[in-house]
Amino acid sequence: VALPPTQVALLASPTAFSLATTSGPICDNAILISDVTIPDGTKIKPKEEFKKIWRIQNTGVCTWDEGYSLVYAYGDGRLSGNGFSINDKKEITAPGGTLDVGMKMVAPENAGTYSSCWRMQNDRNVLFGTAICVVIEVAK
């Protein structure tokens, strides 16, 4: 015995709803806009101090304020960088806004190519956004 079409649709509905997923806006997110200083591949002398600055954009829906920071994620070490923390009201970044983040770093003593990658972290210590990296070439 065939079921009328309305009853077939009713039987199929729960499966369709159980497979559906919803996603909302992401609170914390960030992307790299540009290198402000020290483009990738810059040649630096051994043990030379340099200041690396990146311009990033807040692509989430939450404002970055006190407690948000840039922390070491991975690579060939921190290059003596200590990260960056939002501590000043002028650094608070609303959704869609950009912020220049950076720190002083020191090139390693030995010749070679080195990278150090960092990520934003919110006030709950959760990492977010794409990693931003510096890649330098140490030449004697």
Side-chain angles (χ1 to χ4, degrees), residues 42-105:
T42 297
K43 290 180 179 18
I44 298 182
K45 295 177 186 173
K47 296 185 177 180
E48 182 179 344
E49 185 176 283
F50 62 96
K51 186 163 186 175
K52 175 62 186 181
I53 301 173
W54 299 271
R55 180 161 296 134
I56 59 174
Q57 182 177 21
N58 179 347
T59 57
V61 296
C62 296
T63 297
W64 302 342
D65 54 17
E66 291 86 1
Y68 281 68
S69 56
L70 182 69
V71 298
Y72 178 74
Y74 60 89
D76 297 315
R78 300 162 86 67
L79 301 179
S80 299
N82 289 325
F84 172 89
S85 295
I86 295 177
N87 295 316
D88 190 320
K89 288 186 181 193
K90 68 181 179 183
E91 296 167 339
I92 293 173
T93 308
T98 61
L99 177 66
D100 288 356
V101 296
M103 68 207 80
K104 289 181 181 177
M105 296 181 159

